[in-house]
Amino acid sequence: QVQLVESGGGSVQVGGSLRLSCTVSGITGSINYIAWFRQAPGKGREGVAIIYRTNSASNYADSVKGRFTISQDNAKNTVYLQMNSLKPEDAAVYYCAASTRWLYGLDQLSDRNYQYWGQGTQVTVSS
């Protein structure tokens, strides 16, 4: 089994920054991808960023390109999401998730392809 624990959420003003962390534990050798998703009230879950564990290749949703950066520290088994220039529409519960599948294109940011999920961390953006 794989466990994921998010941290780093909180409240920030528009234009501010936050860094989320996702610590991965358990049987992690089969994991190919770690991704961040978010879900705002009344909306579906949206894929935000993905990182390929082997070489740190990444991909982003258009809505966050140029503002968010996903990275990993393998020694700490932790994946980060650096969020800059935050907007009100970035407010949501953010989840990290892990996939053992081989994913391409749009499948990389589809929540149906992820088997393991964290409990989520709240991000609030105020004007």
Side-chain angles (χ1 to χ4, degrees), residues 41-83:
K43 296 188 176 181
R45 196 152 47 186
E46 175 191 18
V48 173
I50 177 177
I51 191 164
Y52 179 42
R53 299 208 76 202
T54 300
N55 63 4
S56 296
S58 59
N59 194 16
Y60 298 89
D62 288 342
S63 57
V64 305
K65 278 181 182 176
R67 300 188 298 121
F68 289 13
T69 303
I70 190 170
S71 62
Q72 61 182 351
D73 183 335
N74 289 332
K76 296 181 179 180
N77 278 329
T78 300
V79 173
Y80 303 99
L81 185 68
Q82 178 66 44
M83 306 187 295

Side-chain angles (χ1 to χ4, degrees), residues 50-122:
I50 177 177
I51 191 164
Y52 179 42
R53 299 208 76 202
T54 300
N55 63 4
S56 296
S58 59
N59 194 16
Y60 298 89
D62 288 342
S63 57
V64 305
K65 278 181 182 176
R67 300 188 298 121
F68 289 13
T69 303
I70 190 170
S71 62
Q72 61 182 351
D73 183 335
N74 289 332
K76 296 181 179 180
N77 278 329
T78 300
V79 173
Y80 303 99
L81 185 68
Q82 178 66 44
M83 306 187 295
N84 298 328
S85 302
L86 283 161
K87 304 176 180 180
E89 53 265 39
D90 294 319
V93 177
Y94 281 72
Y95 301 90
C96 65
S99 177
T100 61
R101 300 175 181 173
W102 294 105
L103 304 175
Y104 304 93
L106 295 177
D107 282 343
Q108 292 181 342
L109 290 175
S110 173
D111 59 358
R112 64 182 180 181
N113 292 316
Y114 289 78
Q115 299 96 331
Y116 304 102
W117 291 82
Q119 81 289 350
T121 185
Q122 179 74 51

